[in-house]
Amino acid sequence: LDTMQTIQGANKRRITDSDVEQATGTVDNQFLFKAANALIDGRFEEMIDLCAELRESGRDYTKVTLEIAHYFRDLLVIRVKADPMMHLPYTVETIKQMYLTASKVSAETLVGMISFLSKAVTDFKISPDIPTSFELMMLRLCGRKAQLEVSPLVIPDFERMQAEAAS
């Protein structure tokens, strides 16, 4: 019994966020932050590096695409909501960083990106090479060569209120 307890005790280790992300095929918020900024800023070289990082990690491309779409949804909430804290599961510091990202583009562009990413998930089902399809999708979106559906939004621009809330 003492030997068994010693063996069990030696095998105990703390499960980290990275372990959970690896097991579920998801990515961390830092990856999402980098990807969103690379897409919005049109930084192709960084986007190619992020795609390579994703390919090497073995993550599920469909899940990652949905996570990026959800991150853009969160950016949209930040863009249109004067006080987004109650609607988002992030720290105040993270919200401030996301606000800087969200303020670079219009709400309509964010809606278009979300729609494009959502459609891409459907397209993956018939793709013979999902990693390449993912990379091409991200590069098209990075250069805004994608057909972003323009859905006119009648949303007040809360930039002043957001800036005050972020201070």
Side-chain angles (χ1 to χ4, degrees):
L1 183 65
D2 289 334
T3 305
M4 188 58 134
Q5 287 174 337
T6 304
I7 291 170
Q8 287 175 344
N11 288 334
K12 286 184 182 178
R13 80 174 182 88
R14 191 177 155 157
I15 297 174
T16 65
D17 289 344
S18 180
D19 294 329
V20 173
E21 290 158 4
Q22 187 66 40
T24 61
T26 59
V27 292
D28 64 11
N29 282 340
Q30 194 59 37
F31 180 91
L32 296 172
F33 177 78
K34 287 178 189 176
N37 279 285
L39 288 169
I40 289 169
D41 296 341
R43 295 193 309 257
F44 290 93
E45 190 171 321
E46 185 176 351
M47 183 51 58
I48 289 171
D49 291 343
L50 288 169
C51 288
E53 180 183 322
L54 188 63
R55 187 181 292 253
E56 291 169 13
S57 74
R59 299 284 199 275
D60 181 284
Y61 287 95
T62 299
K63 284 183 183 179
V64 172
T65 303
L66 291 172
E67 284 183 272
I68 294 169
H70 192 268
Y71 192 80
F72 276 113
R73 175 261 177 207
D74 293 347
L75 292 176
L76 180 63
V77 169
I78 289 169
R79 186 83 174 102
V80 301
K81 187 85 174 123
D83 182 14
M85 288 299 294
M86 74 169 101
H87 300 285
L88 300 172
Y90 304 105
T91 65
V92 172
E93 190 58 38
T94 300
I95 295 276
K96 286 180 182 179
Q97 287 181 329
M98 291 173 75
Y99 172 78
L100 295 174
T101 302
S103 66
K104 295 179 194 179
V105 292
S106 69
E108 290 82 9
T109 298
L110 290 169
V111 169
M113 291 176 126
I114 295 164
S115 296
F116 185 78
L117 290 163
S118 297
K119 183 183 177 315
V121 170
T122 303
D123 294 345
F124 288 163
K125 293 176 184 172
I126 59 170
S127 173
D129 183 1
I130 293 174
T132 300
S133 295
F134 176 86
E135 190 168 314
L136 290 173
M137 171 205 55
M138 297 302 275
L139 292 174
R140 287 183 69 211
L141 199 52
C142 191
R144 304 287 199 303
K145 299 298 183 197
Q147 290 294 334
L148 298 182
E149 293 180 23
V150 179
S151 303
L153 297 176
V154 183
I155 299 173
D157 196 346
F158 292 108
E159 281 191 57
R160 181 183 52 77
M161 293 167 65
Q162 290 171 335
E164 290 171 5
S167 324

